[in-house]
Amino acid sequence: MMPDRHLLLTPVDKEAPARVRRLRGLGIGDRPDAALDLFADRLAELTGAPYAMVNFIDENRQFFAGLHTPEGTRPGAGLAAAAGGLGRYLARDHGYCPHVVVRRKALVLEDVCDYPRFAGNPVVDEIGIRSYLGAPLIDRTGIVLGTVCVVDVEPRRWGRAGLDTIKMLAAELVEQIHRREDGGI
């Protein structure tokens, strides 16, 4: 019997064109950003995760404008791979952030293999991701700009504390983006 392939589909993202326009207006989401790399470092530190990202998503791909990897490497803007095969770009149908963007709420996957809908995602086999914790970046216009997320190659008990932390950090980053837009930083 064939597995239920519809469970693995990346959700339809009707907001993508508006998001791309908003990100362009903010001047973010299409190149590495040192401040967002530092934010990703902080995400990793506060959650104890080996990988952390500030992720912006367009119609076709995801871009990690902020990235933390275990060795602290920061791949270039191209498809250069970091430790574990994670570079700055990821196809839109890979990973879990597109689900967070469309759902407009945080997602906790302590062991992705426990969820048939998510276990078949290419990042499990290609990169070895086993756990995920992410929250949407919803700006003052109501558009979901992207996500902040952390992942691990081992199953992980994020718990309520992890969920609260990622949601708090998402809100904090949205405020930083607003200050940047307003000329504050």
Side-chain angles (χ1 to χ4, degrees):
M1 184 172 160
M2 294 260 316
D4 232 351
R5 297 292 300 168
H6 75 277
L7 294 176
L8 306 178
L9 292 177
T10 301
V12 174
D13 183 2
K14 295 177 183 173
E15 198 175 74
R19 175 180 320 104
V20 170
R21 284 190 301 275
R22 179 72 174 132
L23 289 170
R24 284 186 185 136
L26 291 168
I28 58 175
D30 61 351
R31 63 188 174 283
D33 184 308
L36 296 179
D37 279 339
L38 291 173
F39 195 89
D41 291 344
R42 188 162 162 250
L43 278 169
E45 180 183 337
L46 291 175
T47 62
Y51 297 92
M53 287 77 75
V54 175
N55 187 9
F56 299 110
I57 302 171
D58 66 21
E59 294 96 333
N60 304 306
R61 67 181 183 185
Q62 303 174 65
F63 179 70
F64 304 130
L67 178 63
H68 172 88
T69 64
E71 291 78 21
T73 59
R74 301 212 193 279
L79 292 170
L86 189 61
R88 291 273 182 182
Y89 292 102
L90 196 60
R92 191 178 169 280
D93 64 350
H94 284 47
Y96 309 104
C97 289
H99 296 272
V100 170
V101 166
V102 171
R103 290 166 31 119
R104 302 177 67 88
K105 63 182 188 177
L107 178 62
V108 179
L109 300 171
E110 293 184 341
D111 186 343
V112 297
C113 294
D114 289 344
Y115 303 88
R117 177 178 186 179
F118 297 115
N121 196 288
V123 297
V124 176
D125 293 331
E126 294 174 18
I127 302 174
I129 301 304
R130 285 293 302 275
S131 60
Y132 172 91
L133 177 64
L137 298 169
I138 303 173
D139 92 334
R140 59 180 151 213
T141 68
I143 292 175
V144 180
L145 301 175
T147 66
V148 292
C149 69
V150 293
V151 297
D152 201 336
V153 295
E154 300 291 331
R156 188 139 179 156
R157 299 265 175 247
W158 301 109
R160 184 68 195 188
L163 177 61
D164 290 344
T165 298
I166 201 77
K167 288 166 69 175
M168 181 230 6
L169 290 167
E172 182 180 310
L173 183 55
V174 168
E175 287 304 313
Q176 285 182 24
I177 291 169
H178 290 160
R179 282 194 304 275
R180 204 186 263 197
E181 180 181 31
D182 295 340
I185 57 173

